[in-house]
């Protein structure tokens, strides 16, 4: 007779050697353990910080997040710390520099999108009270209306709020910001808390 499944396992959680229950992906690599425990789902504020996340989520499109996470410091160096004003001023020479940089994902369309998104973020600062930070966070749903997901199957890929955020960003000139990418941004930056019920990081 097999042992009964633990409550954590039944919920899809994984328990590490430290005894902490985590979301199913949160124990798959050491990089993910740190990211899951200290970053994912925690509120991110600041125009440059949110611009960085928008860019990295765009680069992640079609790839695994671990690919981006392991190159994040390379991205930060290549994109001048994701300072909006600096990236908006990038020239054709910068584009060629980025295309030759092995520390990032060398995709011309995504590089061009990041530079265009910096210019779009500058416009948001001029036209939206509170800038990019206030704009992005205006799409955060009421936490009281979102019960904690009990299993990974309860975590959506898109929501009405992420579709609305993507639509608004596109209208303002942002690229690579579809509803799925926008929802990943919302999860990563704490606009929603999709750590499973029972997860130690929730």
């Amino acid at each position: 007779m097999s042992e009964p499944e633990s409550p954590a396992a039944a919920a899809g959680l994984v328990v590490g050697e430290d005894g902490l229950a985590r979301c199913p992906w949160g124990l798959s690599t050491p990089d993910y353990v740190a990211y899951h425990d200290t970053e994912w789902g925690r509120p991110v504020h600041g125009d440059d910080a949110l611009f960085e996340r928008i860019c990295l989520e765009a680069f992640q499109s079609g790839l695994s997040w671990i690919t981006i996470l392991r190159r994040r410091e390379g991205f930060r160096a290549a994109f001048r710390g994701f300072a909006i004003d600096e990236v908006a001023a990038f020239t054709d020479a910068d584009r060629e520099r980025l295309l030759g940089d092995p520390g990032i994902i060398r995709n011309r369309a995504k590089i061009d999108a990041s530079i265009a998104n910096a210019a779009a973020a500058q416009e948001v600062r001029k036209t939206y009270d509170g800038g990019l930070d206030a704009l992005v966070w205006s799409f955060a749903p009421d936490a009281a209306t979102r019960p904690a997901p009990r299993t990974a199957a309860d975590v959506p890929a898109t929501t009405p709020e992420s579709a609305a955020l993507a639509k608004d960003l596109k209208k303002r000139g942002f690229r690579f910001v579809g509803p799925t990418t926008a929802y990943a941004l919302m999860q990563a930056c704490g606009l929603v808390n999709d750590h499973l019920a029972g997860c130690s990081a929730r």
Side-chain angles (χ1 to χ4, degrees):
M1 182 172 163
S2 60
E3 287 190 24
E5 195 172 29
S6 72
L13 297 167
V14 290
V15 179
E17 292 181 0
D18 54 9
L20 296 177
R22 293 178 173 87
C23 299
W25 59 273
L27 204 59
S28 56
T29 74
D31 302 276
Y32 269 167
V33 173
Y35 181 66
H36 170 275
D37 289 1
T38 65
E39 290 190 61
W40 194 75
R42 296 176 187 265
V44 173
H45 286 285
D47 285 6
D48 288 349
L50 286 166
F51 170 65
E52 174 185 345
R53 301 320 195 280
I54 290 171
C55 290
L56 293 180
E57 293 293 348
F59 272 100
Q60 187 270 333
S61 180
L63 302 170
S64 65
W65 177 245
I66 195 67
T67 300
I68 304 303
L69 189 60
R70 287 173 174 165
R71 288 172 171 77
R72 184 164 57 172
E73 292 310 315
F75 274 107
R76 286 173 171 168
F79 282 91
R80 307 286 190 261
F82 289 98
I84 290 170
D85 291 339
E86 289 197 41
V87 178
F90 276 7
T91 64
D92 287 342
D94 287 300
R95 284 183 172 85
E96 293 308 310
R97 170 180 61 80
L98 292 167
L99 283 168
D101 190 333
I104 68 170
I105 303 300
R106 292 172 284 183
N107 179 298
R108 185 180 292 275
K110 293 176 180 179
I111 288 169
D112 287 347
S114 296
I115 297 170
N117 289 350
Q122 284 182 320
E123 285 303 307
V124 171
R125 281 178 171 170
K126 297 174 186 175
T127 59
Y128 194 92
D129 188 26
L132 186 62
D133 186 312
L135 174 66
V136 170
W137 276 90
S138 73
F139 290 91
D142 180 356
T145 67
R146 288 178 54 88
R150 303 204 65 79
T151 70
D154 296 330
V155 179
T158 65
T159 62
E161 293 87 359
S162 78
L165 173 57
K167 182 178 180 180
D168 191 279
L169 289 174
K170 283 182 179 179
K171 181 182 71 176
R172 296 174 188 275
F174 286 82
R175 305 179 194 173
F176 277 93
V177 285
T180 301
T181 297
Y183 192 64
L185 174 74
M186 295 172 78
Q187 291 175 303
C189 296
L191 281 76
V192 296
N193 183 353
D194 275 345
H195 285 285
L196 302 187
C199 173
S200 59
R202 185 168 175 85

